[in-house]
Amino acid sequence: MGTVQAQENLTGYWQPQFAVNYQVSGSYSHNFSIANRNYIFNDEEFTLKVRQLDLAHFSKLKMRDNQSIVLGIQYRFRQNFEDGENELRLTQQYNITSKPHTIRFGHRLRTEQRITKALTTHRFRYRFALDFPLVGEKLDPGEPYFVGSFENLLSVAKSNAPQYDTRLSGQVGWQLNSGVKFQMGVEYRIEDYGSGLPQDILFLLTSAQLSL
């Protein structure tokens, strides 16, 4: 019975993304991205169907070599593809990293306001991440690297019970040259795990990043 229930609660997505980083000055930069989320497994069937399209912009200010603050805005188009509301999302973020040896560790604190016509949801997120080269101790052009992360989320909204989510991801990337990166991997999410019927979600992730 447990296996059947897990299968019924499993949704699979493929999410490709393209991002551009633009360095305005030594301490200030912009990030623009476009991503679309596609069903690949839903209602116990394999499929390929677009769910949403996301456009996002982030402004990043480095306070020190290993610390930064970020403000972001995102718009999610969902009504164009299925029943659901479009969403405006505002983001505030603080990052701190350390690299005692070959592995770089990162901590990210993020707050978000997810705004739809019906509701505004406030979300609080903490992510721990690490990355390291897979060849040697220094990442050179053409060589692969690994990125992994673990994140907990709390979502609260008026008249709704709090929702707790967990995300675990791992990706392999390639530094193709000084300005181009490509990554691919998987992410597993457990959404609303405090409820009696948590949702299991699996993402296949692909992304390309251009730095100017």
Side-chain angles (χ1 to χ4, degrees):
M1 181 64 69
T3 303
V4 173
Q5 184 181 28
Q7 186 179 22
E8 290 176 350
N9 293 339
L10 176 65
T11 304
Y13 296 107
W14 169 48
Q15 183 164 293
Q17 181 184 52
F18 176 72
V20 176
N21 293 324
Y22 176 68
Q23 195 73 32
V24 179
S25 65
S27 60
Y28 181 61
S29 62
H30 292 294
N31 173 274
F32 301 90
S33 68
I34 180 171
N36 84 294
R37 187 173 299 177
N38 309 274
Y39 290 105
I40 55 175
F41 185 80
N42 189 39
D43 294 331
E44 303 180 62
E45 294 183 353
F46 290 98
T47 183
L48 184 60
K49 179 184 176 182
V50 178
R51 182 182 188 268
Q52 67 198 40
L53 177 69
D54 295 334
L55 299 177
H57 168 258
F58 292 93
S59 293
K60 178 180 178 181
L61 178 65
K62 291 180 63 176
M63 298 180 296
R64 297 181 180 178
D65 288 341
N66 68 331
Q67 297 181 43
S68 63
I69 55 174
V70 177
L71 297 177
I73 185 169
Q74 175 181 312
Y75 196 80
R76 172 166 292 174
F77 298 90
R78 191 172 174 188
Q79 290 178 338
N80 308 66
F81 307 106
E82 65 171 16
D83 290 337
E85 291 189 282
N86 293 348
E87 176 189 318
L88 175 66
R89 184 180 304 187
L90 306 177
T91 299
Q92 307 82 40
Q93 180 176 302
Y94 169 73
N95 306 292
I96 182 170
T97 62
S98 62
K99 191 177 181 181
H101 301 290
T102 304
I103 302 176
R104 180 173 58 180
F105 301 97
H107 303 271
R108 186 182 77 182
L109 296 173
R110 173 182 282 190
T111 58
E112 294 175 334
Q113 299 80 48
R114 303 181 62 179
I115 304 167
T116 65
K117 289 183 179 179
L119 192 68
T120 295
T121 301
H122 299 271
R123 193 154 69 169
F124 306 91
R125 308 171 58 168
Y126 166 72
R127 187 189 72 178
F128 171 74
L130 57 85
D131 64 84
F132 53 87
L134 293 174
V135 178
E137 298 184 356
K138 181 182 178 182
L139 184 63
D140 295 315
E143 295 182 345
Y145 59 89
F146 175 81
V147 180
S149 67
F150 173 79
E151 185 173 21
N152 276 325
L153 300 86
L154 166 63
S155 300
V156 293
K158 185 177 180 180
S159 302
N160 287 359
Q163 177 176 321
Y164 300 91
D165 306 334
T166 293
R167 302 178 179 181
L168 181 66
S169 71
Q171 298 187 67
V172 174
W174 288 266
Q175 178 82 41
L176 301 182
N177 56 47
S178 59
V180 179
K181 289 183 179 179
F182 176 76
Q183 290 184 187
M184 61 186 302
V186 296
E187 179 175 288
Y188 174 65
R189 300 182 181 181
I190 304 176
E191 294 196 347
D192 203 11
Y193 62 77
S195 70
L197 193 64
Q199 300 295 309
D200 298 299
I201 301 177
L202 183 65
F203 280 80
L204 301 180
L205 303 172
T206 56
S207 65
Q209 187 176 107
L210 174 63
S211 296
L212 303 177

